[in-house]
Amino acid sequence: MKTTGNRSLILYVLSIAFAAGLLFFLGEYILQGGQWAVQPFNRHISGGVSMTGQVLDRTGQVLSSSDENGRVYNQDASIRQATLHAVGDDAGYISSAAQYRYRSELAGYNLFTGLGSPFGNRTGSDVTLTLDAELCKTAYTAMNGKKGAVLLCNYETGEILCMVSTPTFDPANPPEDLLDNPEKYDGVYLNNALSGLYTPGSTFKIITSAAAIENIPDLESRRFQCNGSEIINGNKITCTAVHGDQSFQDALGNSCNIAFGELAVEVGEEAMMEKAQEMGFGQSYSVDGVSTAKSVYNVKGASEDALAWSGIGQYTDQVNPYHMLRIMCAIANDGTPVEPYTTKEITTSFGMTTYQGKTSYGEPLLSASTASKLKEAMRSNIRDYYGEGLFPGMQVCAKTGTGEVGEGKEPTGWIVGFSADTNTPFAFVAVVEEGGYGISSAGPVASAVMQQAVQKYGK
Amino acid sequence: MNGNEWIQTGLFLLRMLLPFLVILVAIRCFHSMKAGRRREEPVIVLENMVSKKVIPVLYWENSLGRSRSCDIVLSDMTASRDHAVLMRRESGWIVKDTESKSGTRVNGNTVPPEGKAVYPGDVITAGSTSLMLKRTSEASVKMPKRKILRAASPVGLMVWVTVIQLILLIQACFSSGEFSALPILPFCALFLIEWGLYYYSIHILDRVSFELETLGFLLSGISVMLLSGMRSELKKGEVAPDAFALIHSTMKETYVQVGALLLGVILFCFLIWFMNDLERVMKFRMAIAIGAILLFAANLVLAKESHGARNWIVIGPVSVQPSEFIKIAFIFVGASTLDRLQTARNLSGFLIFTGICLGCLFLMHDFGTACIFFVTFLVIAFMRSGSFRTLFLALSAAAFGAFLILQFRPYVLDRFKGWRHVWEYVNESQGYQQVRVLSYSASGGLFGLGIGNGKLGGGTSGNSVFAAESDLVFGMLNEELGIILSVWVVCILAAMVLYTRSEATKSRSTFYSICSCSAAAMLLFQACLNIFGSTDVLPLTGVTLPFISAGGSSMAAVWGLLAFLKACDERTYAARRVKKKKGGR
């Protein structure tokens, strides 16, 4: 009998396997239960009224809610189109939007009661975004039908006040041929602000400048000669004008291609790539659970002329608008970026806040001295070259860009910057596809949004 | 709040209460079983005639020999490694020689092959060692101090089970917000079966323990009441039942389940009676094996394929799944008493039987059941031989078999294509059922949506996901009664395994020990295949969840398996003696 007793220990193997399996399942249940529950085939939530919670902007304006027929969006058509990529569509194709990401919260799922409710009728949580619908509307109107992206955030708190991506459509009245005509509506489901990649053009000179400031000790005393073009490695680098003899500061103000091409070559392949990486190229950020597209800077084994072009934001350079916003926040905050976010809070139907957006900071992208030098140079850009007219009384530091895309298309227009005034701590990025010069295409968009932001939220 | 909201809130609160009651009853049952069992104290003693050393005899079956693994170790070079077996039977103590070299003698007479009865005062000689059998009262042995554990009263536990079932009845009657009297009839039948068996065992058979039956009823009751919230689709010409109808054709599945429970309880009683006489069991083993093989053969000849497997025989209005009952036969054939284990060491007979069973199951395409038989085989084989080599060989053979099947029938793999990728097959056969189990399980939350309110089972609408009440019943349980209760239910099955393990040396024979360990392992492994298969932790194989799944054969056979666990408890057969000691009732 003793041996039988000992041999029965084999049953422990089975029991342990059972326990392991059960724990594995329960772990998955706890972590993924919300996703499991809110499936289109789930007959508890079918019939279009799956979500009962509301999506609100920071002022409490309802962006979407539910009635017995399904989802109801804001009554203003422009706001509906401006906030589509933040709020979401009926079909759930925009996976970066709140209605998709928070579908289990909006549907009222919780671990405790599942999709049920102790009192019979289920009610979902409300999701409040950090966005201001009016600001989004202004940005959307200013884009004037062009494709692109606009972002504006408070660089002290990280709250994104404006996030617009175009092309867009009206979720309340989706075009009938939306699904049948994919070419016409190309990119309509993509949030360009988080997932887009654009040729940065001259806005990349901020990164080249940072690399130069940190790698060339006598940069301040250097002089740069611009004759309108220069041959590097048998290849012609062209400039927008003949800028003549310039200091570094002048070169950034003039956005002189010759000077920055030379600087990139002088800094060299390795140091350029190192600085770009440090500033977040090749990295994806998580914005309330949405992964942003990775910006690209790769000059490995590139020829000198390619390196020169890369330093002025051409070659294979690609930049994501959210990433650029993060760089602006870093320069405004002495080198340390705040992490911009869009979800302010999630509140259950009985008033309990289950999620609260928080200010957080990333690793420094620049040293404080580099940041302050860049800040001054960018301030001088507006003050001494573009003029304060675009951003009256806001002490804006900015850089424009015009990214050549080839294929006979108009270049991509950029403007990136922030207000140095701590009473109006806003950073912005505006990108206009096929917009032409950045100052004339993206400039007015940024100007309109900044003016409204300062008026509404300035201290 | 309006009336319906009040009802819903009330039902929800009752559902919150359920898991606590269930775990309470389960813990009390296991505690009671532990409290009621015999301590490690000598049943009788042996006194060495030369050294006068007293050897306590601790078990009902004891091996004598030179080997260190023997229960009674003889430090005598002339004794065989496994010399003899001293065992207690209904008639008294028996000594049996287990093919020792020098033979065993009692009072100088050689023990015949069928064994010889011994009484206190008799001298057993093995090799050159002589031992005198003595009562514990005659020898000065120290009795270990008894730790008194209070056992819960069996009637109290049964009352609690009835309370739980009443709560379930209320849930079922008010499912989907409308009253229906249909669940009352199954409840009454359940009540009568439960208290009927209680009366029979406690008052007619005079048994002292009822915990295992209580656990069985706890689980079966959940199953019956869960099913009573579900209706099959209305056939042409059928009229939907009104609120106060007591009986209706759409409840057929529930009625079958209750009927199967009754059959199962009868089978349970019969098997316990049958196993009382081990000589009888040993005599019938061959017949059981042949019967099982014939049943398989009949299955293969008669069955038609349905849903990819041929494991059903339909005789008139009754459909039976023979493999469920062959599980019981399989354990009978595999287990053995200690004296037989000592003499017949090889497993060849059982190995051949297992081979035939697995072969038949493969021909039926019943892969899940084949796995269950194989795991049970591993447990029995190891408990009989104690050899890791046997385990290793069996596993290698299985791996090789699986390899051969995949070589010649690569499409078998298609069935498992969806495993861990079910979300890619949301509307295809490889993932359809699993994703619905997951989705509806999560929909239920901790306390469920209420009996009949699930979408997996479809409630009163008759619109259910295929096999919701059998293969996917874990999902249904999660959705309607909540995940906590589900977890308790499967944990009770796991606790049965741990209980039988701790009981393995306490039973009256290794036969009972091997039977109960392998039966408990079979139940738990089957539960694993069911719950992990339907939730995509393992590939979906389509087996039932013991006690819970709908299915007559399954329900009846599971109670048959429970008889093995009951037989292992020495109090099952020793009831009267214990009572007499206490001075009668």
Side-chain angles (χ1 to χ4, degrees):
Chain A
M1 287 300 274
K2 201 167 70 187
T3 43
T4 310
N6 291 339
R7 287 168 188 173
S8 68
L9 288 171
I10 194 176
L11 292 184
Y12 280 137
V13 177
L14 187 65
S15 310
I16 290 167
F18 162 78
L22 190 64
L23 288 177
F24 178 77
F25 166 68
L26 290 177
E28 280 198 321
Y29 180 91
I30 291 167
L31 296 176
Q32 294 172 31
Q35 302 304 319
W36 292 350
V38 286
Q39 292 296 322
F41 59 76
N42 188 331
R43 286 190 284 133
H44 289 294
I45 58 173
S46 58
V49 283
S50 60
M51 290 175 270
T52 56
Q54 300 180 324
V55 180
L56 309 144
D57 85 340
R58 64 183 298 114
T59 63
Q61 179 158 195
V62 179
L63 300 179
S64 76
S65 59
S66 285
D67 69 7
E68 59 276 15
N69 299 317
R71 215 61 192 151
V72 181
Y73 296 87
N74 191 284
Q75 63 275 18
D76 183 328
S78 296
I79 288 182
R80 290 201 295 268
Q81 300 188 47
T83 57
L84 171 76
H85 295 93
V87 175
D89 58 332
D90 269 358
Y93 286 135
I94 303 172
S95 58
S96 59
Q99 282 190 173
Y100 186 84
R101 273 181 297 144
Y102 299 118
R103 60 193 188 283
S104 64
E105 286 86 347
L106 288 166
Y109 172 85
N110 65 65
L111 206 59
F112 188 69
T113 59
L115 282 176
S117 154
F119 317 111
N121 282 330
R122 170 170 53 90
T123 41
S125 295
D126 291 342
V127 177
T128 307
L129 303 175
T130 60
L131 303 183
D132 180 304
E134 299 299 332
L135 248 64
C136 294
K137 180 182 170 181
T138 303
Y140 170 69
T141 315
M143 286 297 283
N144 199 17
K146 291 274 192 189
K147 295 183 182 181
V150 186
L151 277 167
L152 183 142
C153 78
N154 180 321
Y155 61 72
E156 286 177 350
T157 63
E159 289 174 309
I160 296 179
L161 302 178
C162 170
M163 177 172 75
V164 171
S165 170
T166 49
T168 179
F169 65 89
D170 182 354
N173 309 295
E176 274 167 25
D177 56 344
L178 186 61
L179 292 177
D180 309 327
N181 213 339
E183 264 174 47
K184 184 173 165 192
Y185 298 103
D186 186 32
V188 85
Y189 292 123
L190 200 70
N191 183 349
N192 287 324
L194 302 180
S195 313
L197 281 175
Y198 298 97
T199 306
S202 300
T203 54
F204 190 81
K205 286 172 185 159
I206 294 169
I207 290 94
T208 312
S209 299
I213 291 168
E214 289 177 7
N215 286 288
I216 302 172
D218 62 339
L219 188 67
E220 311 264 319
S221 55
R222 282 285 184 88
R223 303 303 295 175
F224 300 89
Q225 300 300 324
C226 172
N227 303 320
S229 70
E230 190 183 23
I231 308 289
I232 294 181
N233 194 25
N235 218 307
K236 195 170 158 189
I237 309 289
T238 52
C239 198
T240 47
V242 179
H243 297 118
D245 179 70
Q246 323 158 84
S247 69
F248 171 70
Q249 187 80 355
D250 298 332
L252 188 66
N254 291 329
S255 198
C256 176
N257 287 350
I258 305 299
F260 278 88
E262 281 175 0
L263 279 172
V265 172
E266 190 180 337
V267 169
E269 172 188 320
E270 224 164 272
M272 279 298 286
M273 282 187 64
E274 198 181 314
K275 189 63 206 168
Q277 208 178 359
E278 205 181 311
M279 291 181 73
F281 280 77
Q283 252 189 65
S284 177
Y285 301 101
S286 172
V287 187
D288 302 305
V290 180
S291 297
T292 63
K294 294 175 188 170
S295 297
V296 183
Y297 182 77
N298 187 356
V299 287
K300 205 163 200 135
S303 58
E304 263 188 12
D305 54 308
L307 189 57
W309 278 117
S310 81
I312 53 183
Q314 295 295 147
Y315 188 50
T316 57
D317 299 4
Q318 295 277 290
V319 174
N320 168 258
Y322 176 86
H323 175 210
M324 194 52 106
L325 183 71
R326 207 169 169 273
I327 293 176
M328 288 307 115
C329 291
I331 298 171
N333 286 325
D334 299 328
T336 304
V338 70
E339 306 282 4
Y341 64 93
T342 56
T343 308
K344 193 171 160 67
E345 60 183 25
I346 299 174
T347 314
T348 62
S349 53
F350 45 93
M352 195 174 83
T353 301
T354 53
Y355 174 84
Q356 181 85 51
K358 278 189 211 76
T359 304
S360 61
Y361 297 92
E363 288 292 308
L365 306 184
L366 308 150
S367 68
S369 72
T370 310
S372 108
K373 281 175 191 162
L374 278 176
K375 191 170 169 179
E376 180 43 42
M378 287 168 71
R379 177 78 193 100
S380 141
N381 266 352
I382 294 295
R383 192 179 53 218
D384 308 332
Y385 294 87
Y386 300 124
E388 301 274 19
L390 214 47
F391 304 102
M394 295 178 206
Q395 298 183 42
V396 162
C397 312
K399 180 77 196 86
T400 58
T402 307
E404 301 289 346
V405 289
E407 297 169 33
K409 281 188 186 165
E410 284 284 296
T412 305
W414 282 83
I415 187 162
V416 303
F418 56 91
S419 159
D421 184 347
T422 49
N423 289 320
T424 53
F426 306 122
F428 60 86
V429 169
V431 191
V432 181
E433 282 181 53
E434 299 185 53
Y437 286 113
I439 187 69
S440 55
S441 58
V445 178
S447 163
V449 186
M450 272 301 273
Q451 290 195 39
Q452 195 179 10
V454 167
Q455 190 197 339
K456 252 184 126 163
Y457 297 105
K459 286 174 210 165
Chain B
M1 290 209 291
N2 62 32
N4 189 39
E5 279 175 349
W6 278 110
I7 292 174
Q8 293 303 326
T9 310
L11 290 177
F12 186 83
L13 291 176
L14 282 176
R15 282 203 300 281
M16 284 179 74
L17 197 63
L18 269 179
F20 296 101
L21 290 179
V22 167
I23 197 67
L24 205 75
V25 170
I27 288 173
R28 301 260 292 160
C29 280
F30 282 109
H31 182 260
S32 240
M33 285 197 275
K34 205 173 150 225
R37 99 183 158 200
R38 184 166 58 86
R39 298 347 151 245
E40 285 271 338
E41 62 191 31
V43 191
I44 201 160
V45 294
L46 290 168
E47 195 182 81
N48 193 312
M49 297 295 282
V50 182
S51 66
K52 298 290 172 197
K53 217 179 104 191
V54 172
I55 309 165
V57 176
L58 296 172
Y59 311 117
W60 288 78
E61 280 182 357
N62 305 275
S63 53
L64 275 84
R66 187 160 48 84
S67 163
R68 304 284 304 156
S69 63
C70 284
D71 298 313
I72 296 161
V73 181
L74 307 172
S75 41
D76 176 355
M77 290 308 288
T78 56
S80 296
R81 291 184 60 76
D82 292 304
H83 198 104
V85 168
L86 175 65
M87 53 194 182
R88 176 81 198 238
R89 287 290 178 263
E90 204 61 23
S91 52
W93 288 93
I94 294 173
V95 170
K96 222 170 175 183
D97 186 73
T98 51
E99 294 173 359
S100 67
K101 277 192 211 115
S102 55
T104 308
R105 277 162 293 145
V106 171
N107 297 337
N109 304 318
T110 307
V111 172
E114 70 273 13
K116 184 167 176 12
V118 284
Y119 304 96
D122 285 354
V123 177
I124 302 161
T125 311
S128 52
T129 309
S130 289
L131 305 163
M132 185 189 273
L133 197 67
K134 280 189 167 182
R135 292 199 175 89
T136 45
S137 51
E138 293 165 10
S140 50
V141 284
K142 267 187 207 156
M143 297 293 254
K145 256 200 177 163
R146 280 194 173 211
K147 220 172 87 191
I148 306 294
L149 287 168
R150 244 177 65 92
S153 88
V155 66
L157 288 173
M158 275 305 286
V159 168
W160 277 113
V161 167
T162 304
V163 168
I164 289 170
Q165 283 161 2
L166 260 174
I167 295 178
L168 290 168
L169 173 69
I170 295 168
Q171 299 279 336
C173 284
F174 290 95
S175 72
S176 60
E178 281 163 42
F179 177 79
S180 165
L182 286 173
I184 293 175
L185 193 66
F187 172 82
C188 292
L190 193 62
F191 183 86
L192 287 177
I193 294 171
E194 288 169 355
W195 287 98
L197 181 66
Y198 177 83
Y199 185 81
Y200 177 69
S201 9
I202 300 285
H203 296 291
I204 295 181
L205 295 179
D206 273 339
R207 284 204 190 120
V208 287
S209 63
F210 200 69
E211 296 92 357
L212 265 174
E213 293 90 329
T214 308
L215 286 172
F217 284 132
L218 178 66
L219 298 177
S220 307
I222 291 174
S223 165
V224 169
M225 295 326 292
L226 187 68
L227 281 179
S228 72
M230 198 178 163
R231 311 278 187 274
S232 55
E233 237 173 307
L234 275 181
K235 291 193 191 73
K236 257 191 190 160
E238 280 182 340
V239 187
D242 65 47
F244 294 97
L246 282 175
I247 186 161
H248 196 263
S249 57
T250 50
M251 289 280 285
K252 189 180 147 225
E253 203 145 15
T254 314
Y255 302 145
V256 168
Q257 191 79 344
V258 178
L261 176 62
L262 180 62
L263 281 178
V265 167
I266 294 170
L267 183 64
F268 175 82
C269 295
F270 167 75
L271 285 178
I272 288 177
W273 168 82
F274 179 69
M275 279 188 284
N276 189 14
D277 183 350
L278 282 173
E279 289 311 310
R280 173 170 55 206
V281 175
M282 287 300 149
K283 248 189 295 185
F284 273 98
R285 272 212 313 174
M286 197 55 166
I288 292 170
I290 293 170
I293 292 169
L294 287 178
L295 199 54
F296 260 139
N299 188 159
L300 279 171
V301 173
L302 296 175
K304 288 192 194 82
E305 178 149 341
S306 76
H307 305 293
R310 290 197 307 177
N311 46 7
W312 290 92
I313 307 183
V314 183
I315 310 158
V318 187
S319 52
V320 184
Q321 205 169 356
S323 59
E324 292 290 343
F325 295 100
I326 296 172
K327 284 175 186 166
I328 299 173
F330 188 77
I331 290 176
F332 265 123
V333 175
S336 174
T337 52
L338 186 59
D339 52 318
R340 280 181 172 76
L341 278 187
Q342 299 272 37
T343 48
R345 282 175 185 280
N346 67 53
L347 290 163
S348 48
F350 182 49
L351 211 58
I352 293 167
F353 180 68
T354 308
I356 295 172
C357 288
L358 291 181
C360 290
L361 286 166
F362 275 113
L363 287 176
M364 293 181 209
H365 297 283
D366 194 346
F367 182 74
T369 311
C371 279
I372 295 170
F373 272 71
F374 182 68
V375 166
T376 313
F377 165 76
L378 290 181
V379 171
I380 295 178
F382 186 76
M383 288 201 61
R384 284 178 58 161
S385 67
S387 125
F388 284 102
R389 213 173 120 251
T390 311
L391 283 193
F392 181 74
L393 283 175
L395 283 168
S396 317
F400 183 65
F403 173 75
L404 279 186
I405 289 169
L406 293 182
Q407 279 295 304
F408 295 105
R409 303 265 187 281
Y411 56 80
V412 171
L413 209 59
D414 274 4
R415 273 180 66 182
F416 305 115
K417 205 164 61 175
W419 180 43
R420 299 307 299 160
H421 295 278
V422 288
W423 295 102
E424 293 157 33
Y425 301 97
V426 167
N427 285 315
E428 287 145 272
S429 64
Q430 289 94 341
Y432 186 93
Q433 291 174 304
Q434 294 95 315
V435 295
R436 277 154 185 81
V437 166
L438 293 177
S439 190
Y440 290 128
S441 291
S443 303
L446 298 187
F447 303 104
L449 303 173
I451 288 175
N453 293 334
K455 299 291 182 190
L456 193 67
T460 50
S461 72
N463 186 4
S464 66
V465 174
F466 175 70
E469 73 285 14
S470 53
D471 300 350
L472 313 183
V473 78
F474 183 66
M476 212 172 137
L477 199 60
N478 286 337
E479 188 186 12
E480 302 192 4
L481 290 173
I483 195 142
I484 298 183
L485 191 83
S486 298
V487 168
W488 289 156
V489 164
V490 288
C491 282
I492 289 174
L493 293 173
M496 281 185 184
V497 168
L498 296 179
Y499 165 73
T500 56
R501 202 224 69 74
S502 71
E503 202 74 343
T505 58
K506 307 282 192 310
S507 78
R508 294 166 71 237
S509 165
T510 51
F511 176 83
Y512 299 124
S513 302
I514 295 175
C515 279
S516 69
C517 285
S518 48
M522 187 182 251
L523 289 175
L524 182 62
F525 183 71
Q526 186 172 335
C528 284
L529 281 190
N530 177 283
I531 65 171
F532 298 146
S534 61
T535 54
D536 197 35
V537 177
L538 292 176
L540 182 64
T541 43
V543 297
T544 54
L545 181 58
F547 292 107
I548 305 295
S549 284
S553 311
S554 166
M555 183 55 124
V558 161
W559 274 85
L561 291 173
L562 193 66
F564 289 122
L565 269 64
K566 184 74 185 171
C568 182
D569 186 339
E570 64 173 355
R571 293 175 300 162
T572 304
Y573 297 114
R576 277 171 214 198
R577 218 175 349 262
V578 171
K579 291 240 157 169
K580 265 180 209 150
K581 258 190 212 163
K582 282 181 186 166
R585 208 157 29 92

